[in-house]
Amino acid sequence: MGNEKTILCIGAGYVGGPTMAMIALKNPDYKVIVVDINSKRIDAWNSEELPIYEPGLLEVVHNVRDKNLFFSTDVENSIKEAHIIFVSVNTPTKMFGYGEGYAADLQYWEKTARQILKLSDASKIIVEKSTLPVKTAEAMERILNSNEKGIIFDVLSNPEFLAEGTAIKDLEDPDRVLVGSRETESGLRARNKIVQLYSSWIGKEKILTSNVWSTELSKLTANAFLAQRISSINSIAALCEETGANVHEVAHAVGTDSRIGPKFLNASVGFGGSCFKKDIFNLVYLCRHYGLDEVADYWESVVKMNEYQVERFVLKMLKSMFNTIAGKKIALFGFAFKANTGDTRESPAIYVAKKLLNEMANVVITDPKALENAKIELKEFDGNVEYCPDPYEAAKNAHAIAVLTEWECYKSLDYKKIFESMEKPTFIFDGRNTLPHKDLFEIGFNVIPLGMPELSHF
Ligand SMILES: NC(=O)C1=CN([C@@H]2O[C@H](COP(=O)(O)OP(=O)(O)OC[C@H]3O[C@@H](n4cnc5c(N)ncnc54)[C@H](O)[C@@H]3O)[C@@H](O)[C@H]2O)C=CC1
Ligand SMILES: O=C(O)[C@H]1O[C@H](OP(=O)(O)OP(=O)(O)OC[C@H]2O[C@@H](n3ccc(=O)[nH]c3=O)[C@H](O)[C@@H]2O)[C@H](O)[C@@H](O)[C@@H]1O
């Protein structure tokens, strides 16, 4: 059966690494191995420069690495050794064939399942950590249990709800943990083992158990609801700009209704991140598969609204700057999809930068953690984009600043000094509404926030 007290996680990414570090920290009697086919990533996990930036992560890793947490590329022996296998590989949107652009690309998942099947000679518990379409566990179970070795695999679903930038806090004190399994004797036994792991630090009332399909669908639904809130407030931001209302005040007023709640109502240039769009498209694909076209359209509109918002932001920049930005230097403050991460996957900044470059603007990007990833995202524009760790340097001689990530450090810059170094008239487009707009206006900036009246010197 493998070693009862050995856990393996396949996939050492944004989820696999932090999640397993926390499980190892809270379960010192377990040995936790995290494997990946990407040896560079594994080397980084074994170094002082972890492959992802996440506040508090290095401290947790220091506590457990090489004690009961091990990062390795030895997938084969680790599969043999472990009794519990979490699968946390990437599940991007499929970019070919049926379901192109919508369905989840399950090739990494399926390859992993087949590898587990080939290498196992004892029964094991397989846990879906990746976000997957409903019924994936069932398909995986079919593949795994097709073996002629007489071994049984229980496939469970235990989706992850951490958000990047707050991963350690979210793992330490989650709102809830979901564990879904079959409700057979063996399924329930496996479920209990996973519940026990989490019970080492999370109250039982927060560990919700259900059948595996509910768990899978709950993850997609949670992400869809979260994204929907952002699209809802962003749609209202557009209306605020037309009517003179202030989206911040509207969000506050609406959010004080306890049925609505105050969180996740910050208007922005658009939501980014590797998951919201892909998970909504995944949901949309599922709905269409089951003939629920109206339901699919409803959820798809959340993504459409997001695309509209970022497009609107760029058009506003263009319009404010006299309909031409060719040859003008524009400094993008922030490239990460949100603060406190270096992750740039699906960041709205990618779209903004590309549009500005197509308009022949001179784009300079500054970000405290995401410049290396930004370079990868904009590879096709090599040589045409400047990357600059220092925001003061980035803004020098620029016509405009666009704030695209809500990094705390941008709030306390010396904007007087920045203003003096910039071309006039000077614009600041606040795609996160986090800067002190009145102060900036008094310094001399033309301030264009989201969903609020502009502060213009014209
Ligand atoms: N990024 C996030 O904040 C969250 C992500 N998720 C979900 O978790 C899953 C993983 O996401 P991330 O960690 O962000 O992805 P990631 O891309 O950072 O990491 C996935 C890792 O799996 C590895 N991998 C792929 N196939 C493999 C194989 N056959 N053997 C060994 N390693 C393999 C890749 O090399 C990569 O390092 C996705 O389904 C995602 O939707 C869920 C909650 C939060
Ligand atoms: O499945 C996932 O990958 C994860 O997706 C999100 O986490 P994450 O994408 O890391 O970060 P969020 O804090 O949700 O932010 C997503 C995007 O929405 C934007 N956002 C967020 C909140 C808000 O009020 N306004 C807004 O524009 C952020 O700036 C960011 O671009 C969810 O919050 C997690 O629960 C989930 O586990």
Side-chain angles (χ1 to χ4, degrees):
M1 95 166 16
N3 189 331
E4 279 268 1
K5 290 277 181 187
T6 301
I7 297 171
L8 169 65
C9 176
I10 302 180
Y14 285 87
V15 169
T19 312
M20 290 303 125
M22 188 58 72
I23 287 183
L25 182 73
K26 304 293 185 180
N27 292 279
D29 53 329
Y30 274 85
K31 174 180 176 186
V32 181
I33 310 169
V34 188
V35 293
D36 205 292
I37 41 176
N38 181 340
S39 58
K40 260 170 109 184
R41 239 184 183 179
I42 292 298
D43 289 347
W45 278 112
N46 281 320
S47 77
E48 288 308 286
E49 290 279 327
L50 301 185
I52 58 174
Y53 171 70
E54 197 59 65
L57 176 61
L58 189 60
E59 288 79 346
V60 176
V61 169
H62 274 159
N63 267 312
V64 283
R65 193 170 55 192
D66 298 330
K67 290 185 189 138
N68 68 327
L69 175 69
F70 302 89
F71 294 99
S72 162
T73 49
D74 186 357
V75 183
E76 298 198 359
N77 281 315
S78 307
I79 289 178
K80 285 184 190 153
E81 182 183 342
H83 175 54
I84 300 174
I85 302 180
F86 285 83
V87 184
S88 185
V89 300
N90 34 329
T91 51
T93 302
K94 195 173 172 203
M95 295 317 278
F96 53 88
Y98 288 111
E100 179 181 353
Y102 285 90
D105 183 350
L106 297 179
Q107 59 171 313
Y108 305 101
W109 226 107
E110 183 169 335
K111 273 183 198 141
T112 312
R114 290 188 187 279
Q115 201 173 18
I116 294 172
L117 175 60
K118 191 173 126 211
L119 294 165
S120 299
D121 42 25
S123 300
K124 294 182 195 294
I125 300 172
I126 312 300
V127 188
E128 288 181 352
K129 199 50 156 164
S130 303
T131 303
L132 292 159
V134 195
K135 297 259 172 185
T136 306
E138 194 177 272
M140 291 305 143
E141 211 169 53
R142 242 185 272 145
I143 295 176
L144 289 167
N145 287 332
S146 67
N147 71 82
E148 287 164 357
K149 306 179 198 175
I151 54 178
I152 295 170
F153 294 93
D154 288 294
V155 182
L156 274 65
S157 160
N158 168 225
E160 185 48 59
F161 291 96
L162 67 80
E164 289 178 30
T166 53
I168 295 302
K169 194 176 130 286
D170 297 341
L171 288 168
E172 185 100 49
D173 184 22
D175 285 348
R176 77 321 207 173
V177 167
L178 301 191
V179 185
S181 72
R182 276 193 184 275
E183 285 163 340
T184 57
E185 202 185 314
S186 147
L188 291 174
R189 212 175 322 119
R191 179 195 284 185
N192 196 35
K193 284 212 171 117
I194 304 305
V195 168
Q196 284 307 324
L197 272 184
Y198 286 105
S199 312
S200 319
W201 80 99
I202 297 162
K204 276 247 160 68
E205 71 290 350
K206 282 190 173 180
I207 305 177
L208 313 181
T209 55
S210 69
N211 76 36
V212 81
W213 305 286
S214 303
T215 309
E216 287 175 331
L217 187 56
S218 303
K219 172 63 194 175
L220 290 184
T221 308
N223 272 1
F225 270 53
L226 288 169
Q228 180 203 43
R229 275 177 80 93
I230 303 168
S231 279
S232 297
I233 200 66
N234 281 343
S235 73
I236 297 302
L239 189 56
C240 285
E241 285 165 29
E242 297 301 324
T243 56
N246 178 321
V247 74
H248 186 65
E249 290 168 0
V250 174
H252 179 66
V254 170
T256 48
D257 184 325
S258 62
R259 293 168 303 175
I260 296 173
K263 294 184 185 166
F264 251 69
L265 287 177
N266 295 322
S268 68
V269 55
F271 61 74
S274 64
C275 293
F276 280 175
K277 184 169 149 193
K278 109 175 144 55
D279 292 348
I280 289 176
F281 278 165
N282 193 335
L283 193 63
V284 166
Y285 183 72
L286 273 173
C287 294
R288 293 214 198 286
H289 172 80
Y290 289 108
L292 302 171
D293 285 340
E294 286 76 4
V295 184
D297 292 346
Y298 173 72
W299 287 111
E300 193 162 9
S301 73
V302 171
V303 177
K304 284 195 178 139
M305 182 53 62
N306 198 49
E307 287 165 356
Y308 168 74
Q309 180 72 352
V310 63
E311 175 85 32
R312 217 168 63 75
F313 184 81
V314 177
L315 285 175
K316 205 156 196 195
M317 287 181 76
L318 193 58
K319 192 168 154 227
S320 307
M321 297 175 75
F322 319 108
N323 291 311
T324 173
I325 52 173
K328 291 182 182 166
K329 180 174 169 183
I330 299 180
L332 304 188
F333 275 26
F335 205 83
F337 81 96
K338 64 184 282 197
N340 296 321
T341 177
D343 195 352
T344 56
R345 290 178 293 177
E346 296 291 336
S347 175
I350 302 170
Y351 182 88
V352 173
K354 285 185 176 173
K355 282 281 172 185
L356 298 179
L357 285 161
N358 285 338
E359 288 292 329
M360 311 293 281
N362 299 331
V363 173
V364 51
I365 297 170
T366 185
D367 188 292
K369 295 285 174 196
L371 286 189
E372 288 314 309
N373 281 335
K375 284 177 197 165
I376 298 169
E377 300 284 3
L378 298 177
K379 225 175 17 238
E380 68 201 88
F381 295 96
D382 245 6
N384 288 332
V385 184
E386 213 184 309
Y387 299 92
C388 185
D390 178 1
Y392 293 100
E393 272 305 307
K396 209 175 269 176
N397 301 323
H399 291 252
I401 293 170
V403 180
L404 301 181
T405 312
E406 70 285 18
W407 285 104
E408 199 56 34
C409 58
Y410 297 148
K411 294 185 195 165
S412 51
L413 296 174
D414 181 348
Y415 279 99
K416 197 162 179 325
K417 180 172 152 192
I418 289 179
F419 177 76
E420 279 159 9
S421 77
M422 291 177 70
E423 293 289 325
K424 312 291 175 313
T426 312
F427 296 86
I428 197 155
F429 300 90
D430 191 353
R432 296 289 180 170
N433 282 348
T434 46
L435 297 188
H437 297 154
K438 263 201 189 125
D439 297 350
L440 293 174
F441 176 68
E442 276 158 22
I443 289 171
F445 284 99
N446 294 293
V447 185
I448 296 95
L450 272 171
M452 305 178 187
E454 297 181 11
L455 300 173
S456 169
H457 292 285
F458 301 117

